[in-house]
Amino acid sequence: MSAQRDDEAVRRYAEQFGNLLADTGWPRMAGRVFSAILASEEGRMTAAELSEQLQASPAAVSGAVNYLLQLRLATREREPGGRRDVYVVQDDSWYQTMMTENQALTRWSTSLRQVLEHAGDGTPAHHRVRITLGFFEFLTEEVKGLSDRWVVRRAELDAEIAAENK
């Protein structure tokens, strides 16, 4: 691993990653903003820094940041004594988002149980709702197992990275 950071290459490849996120359904600017913050040296950028780096309007950056905040892939902080917001991507942001989505699956399942109760046994709607509910319940259980395995794997990765940086 090289100790030298190539800022231009990092920006170029981060932009590619942002576009890949957009290709999978993300709003394009949200993908670009997330990638820019993720790949930044500190993992934190102001709206002005994002606008400048991405050559995007403040309004576009604001909308993208709000999307990331809603997904909990970024957080908003304020520097002590400062007046500007700083947007931060934590290194465990995907894990935190997955845990939030698992909570959403639980709420969706609760709501679908009510639909199921009134859909009429044996009807096509009952069948569709029951299959959907079963899928949500399956995902909920799988996420629990993934979470446990990720905690172990994360510790291994942290140890690998620490050893590489010695």
Side-chain angles (χ1 to χ4, degrees), residues 5 9 11 38 53 70 76 84 94 100-101 118 125 142 154:
R5 179 178 168 91
R11 285 188 183 121
L38 179 70
Q53 179 174 321
Q70 182 179 1
R76 181 186 335 239
R84 292 190 308 176
W94 289 103
T100 300
E101 287 303 312
H118 299 284
E142 289 298 307
R154 170 67 193 260

Side-chain angles (χ1 to χ4, degrees), residues 18-107:
N19 288 328
L20 285 173
L21 291 173
D23 289 346
T24 61
W26 279 46
R28 186 163 303 283
M29 186 55 66
R32 294 179 69 213
V33 166
F34 177 78
S35 297
I37 300 170
L38 179 70
S40 70
E41 189 65 23
E42 301 299 322
R44 55 194 303 115
M45 296 178 77
T46 65
E49 291 168 336
L50 287 163
S51 288
E52 181 180 333
Q53 179 174 321
L54 301 175
Q55 295 296 293
S57 71
V61 168
S62 177
V65 165
N66 285 334
Y67 179 84
L68 297 173
L69 293 172
Q70 182 179 1
L71 291 179
R72 297 191 177 157
L73 283 170
T75 58
R76 181 186 335 239
E77 296 178 1
R78 189 155 289 194
E79 296 293 332
R83 294 175 32 199
R84 292 190 308 176
D85 288 332
V86 177
Y87 303 103
V88 180
V89 170
Q90 304 294 337
D91 55 355
D92 67 346
S93 60
W94 289 103
Y95 173 77
Q96 294 302 325
T97 297
M98 185 178 75
M99 294 299 97
T100 300
E101 287 303 312
N102 195 44
Q103 293 168 1
L105 285 171
T106 300
R107 291 192 315 270

Side-chain angles (χ1 to χ4, degrees), residues 82-146:
R83 294 175 32 199
R84 292 190 308 176
D85 288 332
V86 177
Y87 303 103
V88 180
V89 170
Q90 304 294 337
D91 55 355
D92 67 346
S93 60
W94 289 103
Y95 173 77
Q96 294 302 325
T97 297
M98 185 178 75
M99 294 299 97
T100 300
E101 287 303 312
N102 195 44
Q103 293 168 1
L105 285 171
T106 300
R107 291 192 315 270
W108 295 346
S109 294
T110 299
S111 181
L112 279 180
R113 278 189 203 90
Q114 293 172 330
V115 174
L116 189 64
E117 183 179 326
H118 299 284
D121 291 343
T123 65
H126 186 273
H127 179 85
R128 282 191 308 276
V129 172
R130 188 165 177 195
I131 293 298
T132 301
L133 179 59
F135 181 67
F136 290 166
E137 290 169 343
F138 171 78
L139 286 178
T140 298
E141 288 303 312
E142 289 298 307
V143 167
K144 289 177 188 171
L146 284 172

